[in-house]
Amino acid sequence: MRGNDGMLPEEFDLLVLGLGKTGLAVAEWAADHMGGRVRSACLYGGAKAAPSDRTRALEERGVRCVLGTEEVEGAFDVCVASPGISEFSDFFASARAHASEIMGEPEFAYRLSPDRWIAVTGTNGKTTTTSLVDHILNASGMPSHAVGNIGSVPTAAVDAREPGSWFSAELSSYQLACSSLLHPRVSVLLNITPDHLAWHRSLEAYAAAKRRIFARQEPGDLVIVCVEDAGSAAALDEARATGAAVCELSHEDTFADCAAFVEDGVLTCRLRGAEMELVRTDELCIAGAHNELNALAAAAAALWVGAPLSAVRRALTTFQPLEHRIEPVAVVDGVRYVNDSKATNTDAVEKALTAFPSEPVVLLLGGSDKGTPLEAFAERVAASTVRTVICFGDARARLLAALEGPAGASGVELMEAADLAAAVSTAHGCARPGDVVLLSPACASFDEFSGFEERGRRFKELVADLAARG
């Protein structure tokens, strides 16, 4: 176990911000420890929060629930803020004024259980990579729990965590922004491209939050940085300054002492002076150049902490695509339908298109507009295997306008649909046998749906309806 300097007091008064999954999980942990580690606990739900069965149950267990306001009162030793609450918000500022220390939930969980963490972040790819780390470790006989932005809220998993087990943690920029002592044994920085700027206020603040993942690392630890991505490559010097080993992740061998790359179609890692061939890229069940990098990062992380090479090889070939991430749905009338609803930004769509290097693609773009610049994206879509783009939802007019010039120059057909259902119907009408209909929207989903998960499941329902009719 690492030292306890700066960890939580033996007893403390706890403030929790937010009534979502994270806030409720921390409040329920507090209820379990009331009268012991926790002297008192107060959950502030926010201005729009209303009582529920869970808040009433928490009240019965001694947690005070304050709903309908963001003006915090009282004095607290520790405040845990849910990731949806921006550090620039008035709610966050009010809490900071009434707590000795404020932090994100993963930081809180780390201080409760600070040993054996592997942490993954990036604008795109972090769920797949974290799931792969978890899959490889468990397949290697090294117990692991997927936590953070994926799986369990870390705090909820702390008490049941068995000795010697690992936390494979997917951490968002929101969660990292308020971390200070978080110290993973291995960290992974996949990429940094513009996203969540409304929360962070600037790309610089967003990137700084991502880089906090390795800020506390030291000699003996490993930082994995994708050097193909300009945003993450810019963090190399800062990562090296920690004294940790830095593994350069890329499709090409950078000839660094520590590297993960593809050589002659084989995933390869060079760690601690030993070069190891893993598996051929065509043995992976997950498609796309970006998933080759995700697999390399996960394998390097697992190998660093002691996973046997033979187990890593087996696990890489058995890992299946995750829901909403280049997920095969069905073949209807000779056309493959693929659900990539998680692609809520342009960078994710560009990565998804690498999974189809030779197949004509009917691309479904649209949803609620994030206001992302589209000029470079439009050029890359026009230069890909995309044959037809169907723009739908609230963002369709801006997408069509951006694509019009590059599409006209390259012969890409542009079509328009009011919503997702109309887009699927249009795709069914224009797709030919051998085509791929790819839902990879480059937009948020809130014009029609509660989130990308609901959007992806609706897409699958629509495709199932097509198959049933066919």
Side-chain angles (χ1 to χ4, degrees):
M1 296 287 288
R2 303 191 187 280
N4 203 43
D5 292 347
M7 292 299 174
L8 297 168
E10 288 303 315
E11 296 180 358
F12 53 90
D13 297 302
L14 178 64
L15 169 64
V16 183
L17 296 191
L19 203 56
K21 176 182 176 182
T22 297
L24 288 168
V26 175
E28 286 166 355
W29 177 89
D32 290 339
H33 295 266
M34 192 70 65
R37 191 79 189 269
V38 179
R39 285 193 299 261
S40 69
C42 183
L43 171 64
Y44 269 74
K48 297 180 180 179
S52 67
D53 289 343
R54 291 183 74 176
T55 60
R56 285 185 281 270
L58 285 167
E59 291 269 11
E60 290 174 2
R61 299 180 65 195
V63 177
R64 187 165 67 94
C65 296
V66 181
L67 311 175
T69 181
E70 296 181 357
E71 294 294 329
V72 176
E73 296 180 352
F76 304 89
D77 299 300
V78 176
C79 173
V80 178
S82 295
I85 300 169
S86 171
E87 62 181 326
F88 300 104
S89 68
D90 292 341
F91 194 13
F92 192 96
S94 180
R96 190 196 294 275
H98 292 269
S100 300
E101 190 171 13
I102 190 165
M103 65 190 69
E105 185 276 328
E107 171 83 7
F108 182 70
Y110 172 80
R111 296 195 195 188
L112 292 171
S113 184
D115 201 29
R116 295 179 185 256
W117 284 63
I118 295 174
V120 179
T121 197
T123 305
N124 297 302
K126 52 187 178 293
T127 299
T128 296
T129 304
T130 306
S131 299
L132 264 163
V133 171
D134 182 64
H135 176 73
I136 294 170
L137 291 180
N138 282 308
S140 302
M142 302 169 68
S144 171
H145 305 278
V147 298
N149 231 29
I150 180 177
S152 303
V153 174
T155 300
V158 162
D159 288 346
R161 188 182 186 189
E162 59 268 34
S165 66
W166 289 86
F167 271 178
S168 300
E170 176 192 340
L171 300 182
S172 70
S173 57
Y174 303 161
Q175 293 166 315
L176 288 165
C178 298
S179 67
S180 58
L181 299 184
L182 180 70
H183 182 162
R185 178 80 172 81
V186 179
S187 68
V188 180
L189 177 59
L190 294 168
N191 41 64
I192 301 175
T193 58
D195 205 2
H196 306 304
L197 301 189
W199 196 99
H200 290 281
R201 302 290 178 91
S202 70
L203 179 58
E204 291 73 19
Y206 173 63
K210 291 289 190 188
R211 295 194 300 270
R212 294 183 77 86
I213 197 166
F214 57 70
R216 297 283 294 186
Q217 289 189 266
E218 60 190 18
D221 297 333
L222 179 67
V223 184
I224 301 170
V225 179
C226 180
V227 297
E228 281 187 14
D229 176 80
S232 53
L236 272 173
D237 288 346
E238 192 173 338
R240 292 189 181 111
T242 65
V246 176
C247 177
E248 296 187 8
L249 175 66
S250 175
H251 277 92
E252 303 291 331
D253 187 359
T254 64
F255 302 102
D257 291 340
C258 190
F261 52 94
V262 180
E263 188 163 55
D264 297 326
V266 177
L267 302 186
T268 306
C269 282
R270 186 163 53 245
L271 299 172
R272 297 189 175 102
E275 191 162 303
M276 296 160 279
E277 292 187 350
L278 304 178
V279 300
R280 298 191 315 275
T281 57
D282 60 10
E283 292 181 88
L284 297 173
C285 298
I286 49 177
H290 62 301
N291 275 327
E292 294 167 5
L293 295 176
N294 295 340
L296 278 167
L303 288 165
W304 187 265
V305 300
L309 179 58
S310 58
V312 173
R313 287 170 172 159
R314 285 194 302 272
L316 285 172
T317 62
T318 57
F319 183 79
Q320 297 297 314
L322 301 178
E323 189 177 22
H324 314 304
R325 295 160 176 86
I326 317 184
E327 175 195 10
V329 176
V331 177
V332 182
D333 299 332
V335 176
R336 281 205 295 148
Y337 287 78
V338 178
N339 168 28
D340 192 41
S341 181
K342 180 61 174 68
T344 59
N345 56 61
T346 56
D347 183 62
V349 180
E350 292 172 24
K351 288 178 167 61
L353 290 173
T354 69
F356 312 100
S358 58
E359 295 164 282
V361 173
V362 177
L363 178 62
L364 276 54
L365 289 177
S368 54
D369 198 341
K370 286 186 169 184
T372 308
L374 297 175
E375 291 77 10
F377 172 67
E379 296 284 351
R380 292 185 184 113
V381 169
S384 71
T385 59
V386 171
R387 180 171 61 77
T388 302
V389 179
I390 302 170
C391 299
F392 68 93
D394 286 355
R396 64 187 183 273
R398 199 168 78 89
L399 287 164
L400 285 166
L403 288 161
E404 187 174 15
S410 62
V412 174
E413 180 183 25
L414 297 181
M415 305 180 77
E416 182 177 358
D419 55 21
L420 179 61
V424 172
S425 177
T426 303
H428 180 59
C430 71
R432 308 163 187 166
D435 286 357
V436 173
V437 173
L438 173 65
L439 171 66
S440 194
C443 295
S445 57
F446 305 123
D447 56 341
E448 280 192 78
F449 305 103
S450 62
F452 73 85
E453 299 93 342
E454 184 185 0
R455 175 172 61 191
R457 287 169 191 147
R458 179 58 181 151
F459 175 73
K460 292 193 285 187
E461 290 171 358
L462 292 164
V463 174
D465 290 344
L466 292 179
R469 292 203 302 271

